Structures are given as structure tokens and as C-alpha cells.
Amino acid sequence: MLPAEVITAIADELAAAEHDRRMVPLLTARHPDMTIEDAYAVQNEWRRRGVASGRRPVGRKIGLTSKVMQEATGITEPDYGAIFADMVFENGSVIEHARFSNVRIEVELAFVLSGSVSGPGATVFDVLRATEYVVPALEILSSRIEMTGRTIVDTISDNAAMGGMVYGGNPVRPHEVDLRWVSALLYRNETVEDSGVAAAVLNHPATGVAWLADKLAAHGDRLEAGEIVLAGSFTKPMWVQPGDTVLADYRDLGSVTCRFV
């Protein structure tokens, strides 16, 4: 692994980039031997500092779980990042576009846990038993590392490009709906830009949550009751600009919307 002082320096750089709303050069171009474990060490240091500064962790996001997302990024394995309370917006929120960098939107399902999920060997059934509600959500992507040539190592270090999330629609118990067949239409300014079905996420969106539990177990961690888990996008990233209104229509599960200014 990279020396501890290098991990700390990278975390410093990314924290400054988030504060200044700018991007930094590719980490992998400057540290070609950087590994996935190094990247998670950077992310964990960034998360630790957030907690130390008073930010409240509320969950995790999973990224790159669908073929459409892997094709869009050129990265072929999932990753995960942290969600803080100040990243979570209610349905219909007006959001400052300049708060983020390279702003894109993804359509997802969020799992709200009432029990813990531990790996290794976590299953879809473990996830469903531990889930109180599933709710429609939009993920706001924000990149603090330049995008061209990014690898999984860059993305993980960048907190899996997590900027924020908007939740809305109708929360449902996981046994009340076939989660594989939850679908959504994604609108930007009253025009349908994309659509997708949740089975695109590893054949079942709960599979991503089980994958996350196993990854956390490798780092001595687990998913806890009360956490929100974004299970991964089943649409490609949609770019948004100031003035854009975004709406995802999940039919029976309702809709979730926000506007950028």
C-alpha cells in the first residue's frame, strides 16, 4: 500500500477540491502503483474527517452495478462510497448546482434498513429481511477528480463520485413489490431522456446491497439499522445544468423530482 503520509496528502487534496468545487488531476497518473485498497484507505480517511468535523453519516452508495453504468464509465466492477446527512435532499428540493462538479443524475432505489447486514456471505434474503422500506431516489454525481482516463481506483478515492441524493415517491415494504421489475422514466425539463428497470442492477437491486455487506466485512465493518443504501443506477448518467428540472416517474412507486439553480 501507499505510505500513510501519501494517503493523508491525497485525502487533503480531495477535501480541498470538494471545498473549492474544483477537480484535481488523475490520482492513478501520479501514483501508478495505487491499488483499490489504497483508494478505500483514502476514502475512509476522508469519511473519518467528515465525522470529526460534525458531519453525520447516514448510509452508503453503491456504484457501477449495472452494465449501462459500466459501459458509460469503462469500469467493470462495483464500488461504494459514504453518504452524510447534508447530502440528502427531500423530494422537490431546489439545489444549488455550483455545490457540485460535473453534475449528473442517476435513477436508483434506496434501501432503508431496520436491521444490520453482515458479511462475508451476505445474501439477497439477508438484505430483504433487514430492509424496512425501499424508496425511489435520484443520485447526484459529483467528480472531484478529472474524468478522462479515470479508473476504479480514482473513482473509489473520490467517494465513488457521490455528491448527493434526493428521495421521494412511495416507500414500500420489500415483499410488497417485485423489485426486479421496478421501472422508471427519467425526465429533464419535461422531456424523457432515459428509462430503465431495476433488474439491470446485478439482476436484483438487493444483490448490490449484499455485495456491499461483503465488501464492508473485508474492512471490519457492516451495514447497520437505520442506514440508507443507494443500490446503484439503472440508467446512464444524465448531465444537468443550472435551471434544469429533473423528474423520475416510477409509476406505482410515485415520482421524485428536484430543480437545479
Side-chain angles (χ1 to χ4, degrees):
M1 290 184 66
L2 293 177
E5 60 269 22
V6 176
I7 297 292
T8 299
I10 294 171
D12 286 340
E13 185 178 18
L14 290 173
E18 182 183 30
H19 179 269
D20 298 338
R21 299 169 180 176
R22 59 179 174 83
M23 288 189 297
V24 302
L26 287 173
L27 298 178
T28 46
R30 293 177 286 152
H31 305 281
D33 296 328
M34 191 173 181
T35 66
I36 287 178
E37 289 302 311
D38 291 324
Y40 279 119
V42 169
Q43 184 189 123
N44 288 338
E45 173 63 13
W46 174 86
R47 183 175 183 268
R48 184 195 66 78
R49 294 179 188 194
V51 173
S53 69
R55 299 180 78 180
R56 181 169 61 88
V58 295
R60 310 274 185 164
K61 66 134 311 173
I62 312 168
L64 307 173
T65 51
S66 65
K67 289 293 184 182
V68 68
M69 282 303 303
Q70 292 177 359
E71 290 171 358
T73 61
I75 299 171
T76 58
E77 61 181 291
D79 62 2
Y80 69 85
I83 305 174
F84 287 113
D86 57 15
M87 295 175 166
V88 181
F89 299 90
E90 293 184 355
N91 201 5
S93 289
V94 177
I95 301 170
E96 181 188 7
H97 186 275
R99 171 175 171 174
F100 309 104
S101 303
N102 298 293
V103 189
R104 290 144 291 149
I105 289 287
E106 295 177 349
V107 171
E108 311 204 9
L109 290 175
F111 286 67
V112 182
L113 302 181
S114 57
S116 63
V117 185
S118 301
T123 68
V124 167
F125 307 109
D126 296 328
V127 172
L128 295 177
R129 278 192 294 266
T131 300
E132 184 172 14
Y133 295 110
V134 178
V135 63
L138 300 171
E139 182 178 354
I140 304 168
L141 295 180
S142 180
S143 298
R144 278 72 55 168
I145 299 174
E146 65 182 29
M147 297 181 63
T148 303
R150 284 167 68 111
T151 71
I152 187 73
V153 170
D154 296 290
T155 303
I156 291 168
S157 302
D158 195 19
N159 196 37
M162 177 66 185
M165 63 169 286
V166 186
Y167 68 92
N170 302 322
V172 294
R173 305 280 185 181
H175 63 274
E176 292 175 347
V177 63
D178 185 347
L179 293 175
R180 295 180 68 249
W181 283 102
V182 171
S183 60
L185 302 173
L186 178 61
Y187 292 78
R188 179 177 55 206
N189 302 328
E190 293 82 47
T191 299
V192 176
E193 297 286 349
D194 206 349
S195 61
V197 179
V201 177
L202 299 173
N203 197 45
H204 193 295
T207 304
V209 184
W211 171 88
L212 175 57
D214 286 350
K215 291 294 286 187
L216 290 175
H219 298 98
D221 202 356
R222 69 177 186 176
L223 294 170
E224 299 287 359
E227 287 197 88
I228 302 167
V229 182
L230 282 174
S233 179
F234 46 96
T235 61
K236 63 182 180 294
M238 181 182 76
W239 289 87
V240 291
Q241 303 298 330
D244 284 345
T245 296
V246 175
L247 182 142
D249 180 356
Y250 288 73
R251 193 179 173 181
D252 294 342
L253 268 65
S255 62
V256 55
T257 185
C258 63
R259 180 166 61 89
F260 290 90
V261 297

